[in-house]
Amino acid sequence: MASLRRLAQMCRDLAKQHVDDQDVPAAPDGADGYAKWTQIALILFRVELEKSLRETEDYLNEMPGVLAVFDLDEAPHYSSFCRWEDEYRMRELRRLLRRSAEQAGWSGEAAIDASGFQRDQTSYHYRDRANYSFQSMKTTILIDVNSLAIKDVHFTTQKAWDGHIGMQVFRRNAEDLRVLSADANYSWSDLRKECRSESTRPLIKHREQTPLQKAHNARMNDDYNQRWMSETGFSQLKQDDGEKLRSRSWHGQFRELTRKCIVHNLTQAAS
């Protein structure tokens, strides 16, 4: 586990690598404006604090050493965090996620798996108005089985077959994959063919309906065992009551979980 100051430094460095101009002061317009890298670094660091917006402002003001990492004398107003988290869209967060996975160490041997995150924070009124009723957010991650770096994520509030989700995630990351491991929920001949066409070895369990499928599964058992590292990744994401989401809208929940994955990668890189 990295210290808060060390994690703050990694959030700052990742944010500066992401922006075009790294030399912009943290608050070029004083208290009325903050540099883009400062905004990104602070919304990532807030994930580790796991505090409300108001509490985040108070905690940062009690940590001058952390503020010094961000070149700030005092924390931004809590309303700024809310605005920044809404401004940075999934496309930009995905780029940050891929970069953080490279820092944590990406070997190309990955597993894909899914789990649910509780959406209790979402109001019943919003669920009715937005026309969805699922209590959990189905989250699929592509995780390196050696470094536990998360390279990609997929979210859905609908019923979706794992095979189709697996195909979508694989196509986004095909050039960076040497081995793809998955359980029988992802058993789909089209996905295996797609993997082989991109020179990726598919370690995808077959549904054991015939003796031949049982034999295929037996042959891959030794190499397949590392797939369970994906469950370790989910366990780390959900520790300290991290299974519940604070955001009330579905798009806010997508971004919240992506920020969790980015900070998870930074923590792995620091360990």
Side-chain angles (χ1 to χ4, degrees):
M1 176 64 71
S3 67
L4 288 179
R5 184 175 298 188
R6 172 61 176 152
L7 183 60
Q9 292 170 346
M10 299 190 74
C11 291
R12 178 201 62 195
D13 294 344
L14 178 66
K16 284 194 171 186
Q17 293 170 14
H18 180 72
V19 300
D20 294 330
D21 194 346
Q22 304 180 9
D23 298 324
V24 174
D29 301 322
D32 296 328
Y34 294 87
K36 184 176 180 180
W37 69 262
T38 311
Q39 298 174 18
I40 294 172
L42 285 172
I43 63 175
L44 292 179
F45 186 73
R46 191 174 95 83
V47 172
E48 182 67 16
L49 294 180
E50 292 187 341
K51 302 297 180 183
S52 68
L53 295 171
R54 286 182 172 86
E55 289 174 334
T56 297
E57 181 184 354
D58 292 339
Y59 268 72
L60 285 174
N61 282 325
E62 295 299 325
M63 294 188 289
V66 170
L67 285 176
V69 171
F70 300 120
D71 296 327
L72 296 173
D73 296 324
E74 62 179 0
H77 192 266
Y78 69 86
S79 61
S80 298
F81 288 94
C82 182
R83 185 175 69 255
W84 297 340
E85 289 176 359
D86 285 338
E87 286 177 357
Y88 289 97
R89 307 298 184 186
M90 278 298 300
R91 179 178 299 178
E92 196 157 10
L93 291 175
R94 285 189 187 279
R95 291 201 298 269
L96 285 165
L97 179 62
R98 288 192 291 271
R99 189 183 292 272
S100 67
E102 292 167 1
Q103 291 185 6
W106 183 256
S107 69
E109 298 180 11
I112 188 170
D113 203 3
S115 184
F117 283 78
Q118 297 304 312
R119 314 173 70 193
D120 296 341
Q121 295 290 336
T122 308
S123 69
Y124 287 102
H125 172 70
Y126 181 85
R127 285 204 294 268
D128 291 341
R129 187 158 50 88
N131 194 28
Y132 67 74
S133 58
F134 289 99
Q135 294 284 5
S136 62
M137 174 81 68
K138 183 176 181 179
T139 304
T140 303
I141 61 173
L142 182 68
I143 186 169
D144 192 285
V145 296
N146 297 307
S147 66
L148 292 183
I150 298 174
K151 187 67 173 289
D152 199 2
V153 287
H154 180 281
F155 310 109
T156 181
T157 60
Q158 308 295 325
K159 291 182 178 180
W161 182 43
D162 287 335
H164 290 159
I165 294 174
M167 180 71 84
Q168 183 177 343
V169 172
F170 173 75
R171 285 174 173 170
R172 284 203 298 255
N173 301 275
E175 62 183 14
D176 298 319
L177 288 172
R178 294 189 295 109
V179 178
L180 179 65
S181 303
D183 61 26
N185 290 326
Y186 297 87
S187 181
W188 186 22
S189 60
D190 287 359
L191 178 55
R192 292 188 180 91
K193 291 177 182 177
E194 188 82 9
C195 288
R196 294 188 181 102
S197 69
E198 297 291 340
S199 301
T200 299
R201 182 188 179 191
L203 288 177
I204 303 173
K205 282 285 189 178
H206 293 263
R207 298 186 183 277
E208 296 187 346
Q209 298 172 334
T210 66
L212 181 59
Q213 290 172 332
K214 292 180 181 180
H216 282 314
N217 287 347
R219 281 199 297 270
M220 73 173 68
N221 276 342
D222 291 340
D223 297 327
Y224 178 78
N225 287 337
Q226 283 187 296
R227 191 206 69 85
W228 298 105
M229 296 301 287
S230 60
E231 296 184 2
T232 303
F234 272 121
S235 177
Q236 292 179 355
L237 285 176
K238 294 182 178 184
Q239 66 184 358
D240 299 327
D241 200 31
E243 185 174 353
K244 294 184 178 179
L245 302 173
R246 292 181 179 273
S247 301
R248 300 176 73 87
S249 63
W250 61 267
H251 51 81
Q253 291 165 354
F254 289 2
R255 297 170 196 165
E256 178 183 349
L257 280 170
T258 306
R259 292 193 298 270
K260 281 180 178 285
C261 292
I262 295 170
V263 174
H264 162 84
N265 287 346
L266 295 179
T267 303
Q268 291 300 122
S271 62

